Amino acid sequence: MLGVLGGMGPMATVDFMGKVVRNTPAARDQDHLQMVVCSAANIPDRTAAILGEGPDPLPAMVDALRRLEAAGVTCVAIPCNTAHHWHAALQAMTPVRVLHIVDAVAEMLTESDGGGLGVLATSGTVEAGIYQERLAHRGITCRMPDAAGQAEVMRAIRLVKAGQLAEATEILRAQAMALVSTGCRQVVMACTEIPVALAAEEGALRTVLVDATEALARACVRTCMASAHDSATSLAA
Amino acid sequence: MLGVLGGMGPMATVDFMGKVVRNTPAARDQDHLQMVVCSAANIPDRTAAILGEGPDPLPAMVDALRRLEAAGVTCVAIPCNTAHHWHAALQAMTPVRVLHIVDAVAEMLTESDGGGLGVLATSGTVEAGIYQERLAHRGITCRMPDAAGQAEVMRAIRLVKAGQLAEATEILRAQAMALVSTGCRQVVMACTEIPVALAAEEGALRTVLVDATEALARACVRTCMASAHDSATSLAA
């Protein structure tokens, strides 16, 4: 049973769940994955914590993890890129496998990154090096907006959290285009609020954008379907 | 903390969660309700059980309820109209309040029902009298499609569960219009799959349709915000 440590933000968690459902081959309810989702909106701001400007979110994340464990989950996904700064700490506290969103993104990349992989993320994700460090092991170099652009990305993310999508969409489209103009052939929407704002994007950008939320959803479906198959096999044995 | 006994179907649960988030006054993550959602897609078909054609879904619903209790919820919503046939049985098994979707719908009705209230629902919901009995206590008469129309509604609901929205939308629009033509001034989308198919409805029907999922989401926000206020008051006392 898939566990979702969510609520960061709440609408991004809803977006993620929809992507899990749409990526599951199913003709009726009973073909779908079982999920328990903890939408722990109380978890303190992750970027503020990484920048040394706010309280540690780890205790509230651990509380949500414990609720998921109590509910019986066997695998956990966290639809918040910035929260992955605490991935190793959370994994060390539980026997349940915690998927990593950057590994899921790496599985989805199709282009070689001659121009570097564009990354639109929170300032916390950028500062903590969540994408840079994990992708360096795969020989992939990340490219982020300059300081002014990064501040704009962060402003757009806060607008999505406050439900003001139209302005956020304009900002994010411009920042993605700026990364493309520096030579990036793929740009990761590496904050789960960003695909909420760019969901209706139909232009040339559409083929460039890589949706980290979609990548994590597909990884969950693969993992849970494989373990369902393993269970069926071991029952048959 | 709100508990959602969901997965009936999985996309309807996602739709419901989005409506809870959008109905919550919030400028940042931490303003949102905490939720635990059990998307128990394994729960057997509710309509089949009511019609005597399938296994009892109650044991699987109780299992999901126990997982929600273990996770610490203080109030439960069930985003599946047909599942409310077992509402009293579930409420009798838990000290946690289980909201009733028909009461939530009754709160949202604006028109007097001279022509009867139209109800588009599963054949299980209709057969079990879930809307008819509960609304009769409020002096409201329900009007459903005829047998051929009801079979069409049921076919559309199965199409939504299989992800085939376009055909479902056409069928449901036609059946809603048929109820309007018999004199109904409001038509309840009384199966949580139906608003998924009619989400983009923009025509004259839009003002006629009452979304039971939206009604339940608003009732959850009201209930959980009131109990948060009570907690704050008792802490201050």
Side-chain angles (χ1 to χ4, degrees):
Chain A
M1 181 181 290
L2 175 62
V4 180
L5 203 172
M8 305 176 277
M11 195 51 90
T13 292
V14 173
D15 181 52
F16 170 75
M17 290 175 67
K19 284 166 180 167
V20 170
V21 173
R22 278 191 293 272
N23 277 289
T24 307
R28 50 183 201 135
D29 293 354
Q30 293 77 20
D31 298 332
H32 283 273
L33 300 183
Q34 291 185 58
M35 274 193 264
V36 177
V37 181
C38 188
S39 186
N42 59 310
I43 296 173
D45 189 274
R46 283 69 61 198
T47 287
I50 290 170
L51 301 181
E53 298 165 356
D56 183 3
L58 186 59
M61 283 197 268
V62 173
D63 177 72
L65 179 63
R66 296 297 178 231
R67 290 176 193 272
L68 292 173
E69 289 177 330
V73 306
T74 55
C75 166
V76 167
I78 310 173
C80 170
N81 291 266
T82 317
H84 283 73
H85 182 55
W86 293 272
H87 177 272
L90 289 165
Q91 183 63 87
M93 287 181 201
T94 180
V96 174
R97 180 176 172 197
V98 184
L99 299 179
H100 198 297
I101 196 165
V102 179
D103 294 339
V105 167
E107 295 288 321
M108 245 175 77
L109 296 176
T110 55
E111 297 275 341
S112 64
D113 76 325
L117 178 69
V119 176
L120 292 177
T122 63
S123 301
T125 296
V126 172
E127 183 66 28
I130 295 169
Y131 273 72
Q132 302 94 309
E133 287 174 18
R134 204 145 180 124
L135 291 179
H137 291 294
R138 296 174 185 251
I140 298 170
T141 309
C142 295
R143 190 186 283 268
M144 273 72 66
D146 61 18
Q150 182 59 41
E152 280 289 280
V153 171
M154 202 61 222
R155 186 162 75 86
I157 290 168
R158 292 210 180 88
L159 285 168
V160 179
K161 288 185 187 291
Q164 295 169 249
L165 292 189
E167 189 179 354
T169 302
E170 286 308 312
I171 295 170
L172 293 166
R173 190 183 287 139
Q175 292 302 323
M177 290 301 296
L179 286 171
V180 170
S181 73
T182 68
C184 300
R185 282 190 282 190
Q186 294 199 295
V187 175
V188 184
M189 298 186 282
C191 165
T192 51
E193 307 296 334
I194 297 178
V196 174
L198 292 179
E201 190 62 39
E202 292 287 352
L205 259 187
R206 188 171 179 166
T207 56
V208 171
L209 293 170
V210 177
D211 181 351
T213 309
E214 179 85 19
L216 183 63
R218 290 186 193 177
C220 289
V221 173
R222 277 197 306 272
T223 304
C224 293
M225 293 246 158
S227 73
H229 180 260
D230 291 348
S231 305
T233 308
S234 69
L235 280 173
Chain B
M1 182 183 287
L2 175 63
V4 180
L5 203 173
M8 305 177 278
M11 195 51 90
T13 292
V14 173
D15 181 53
F16 170 74
M17 290 175 67
K19 284 166 179 167
V20 170
V21 173
R22 279 192 292 273
N23 276 288
T24 307
R28 51 186 198 131
D29 293 354
Q30 294 76 21
D31 298 333
H32 282 272
L33 300 183
Q34 291 186 59
M35 275 192 264
V36 176
V37 181
C38 188
S39 187
N42 60 310
I43 296 173
D45 189 275
R46 284 68 61 197
T47 286
I50 290 170
L51 302 180
E53 298 165 356
D56 183 4
L58 186 60
M61 283 197 268
V62 173
D63 177 71
L65 179 63
R66 297 295 178 232
R67 289 176 195 273
L68 293 173
E69 288 176 331
V73 308
T74 53
C75 166
V76 167
I78 309 173
C80 170
N81 290 266
T82 318
H84 283 73
H85 182 54
W86 293 271
H87 176 274
L90 290 164
Q91 183 63 87
M93 288 181 199
T94 180
V96 174
R97 180 177 172 194
V98 184
L99 299 179
H100 198 298
I101 198 167
V102 179
D103 294 340
V105 167
E107 295 288 321
M108 245 175 74
L109 297 176
T110 54
E111 295 277 340
S112 64
D113 75 325
L117 178 69
V119 176
L120 292 177
T122 64
S123 301
T125 296
V126 172
E127 184 65 29
I130 295 169
Y131 273 72
Q132 301 95 308
E133 288 175 19
R134 203 146 181 122
L135 291 179
H137 291 295
R138 296 174 186 250
I140 298 169
T141 308
C142 295
R143 190 186 284 267
M144 272 72 66
D146 61 18
Q150 182 59 41
E152 281 288 282
V153 171
M154 203 61 222
R155 186 162 74 87
I157 290 167
R158 291 209 183 88
L159 286 168
V160 179
K161 287 184 187 292
Q164 296 169 248
L165 291 189
E167 189 180 354
T169 301
E170 285 309 312
I171 296 169
L172 292 166
R173 190 184 286 139
Q175 292 302 323
M177 289 303 295
L179 286 172
V180 169
S181 73
T182 68
C184 299
R185 281 190 282 190
Q186 294 199 293
V187 175
V188 183
M189 299 185 282
C191 166
T192 51
E193 308 296 335
I194 298 178
V196 173
L198 293 179
E201 190 61 40
E202 291 288 351
L205 260 187
R206 189 173 178 165
T207 55
V208 171
L209 293 170
V210 177
D211 181 350
T213 309
E214 178 85 19
L216 183 62
R218 290 186 192 175
C220 289
V221 173
R222 276 197 306 272
T223 303
C224 293
M225 293 247 159
S227 74
H229 179 260
D230 291 350
S231 305
T233 309
S234 69
L235 280 172

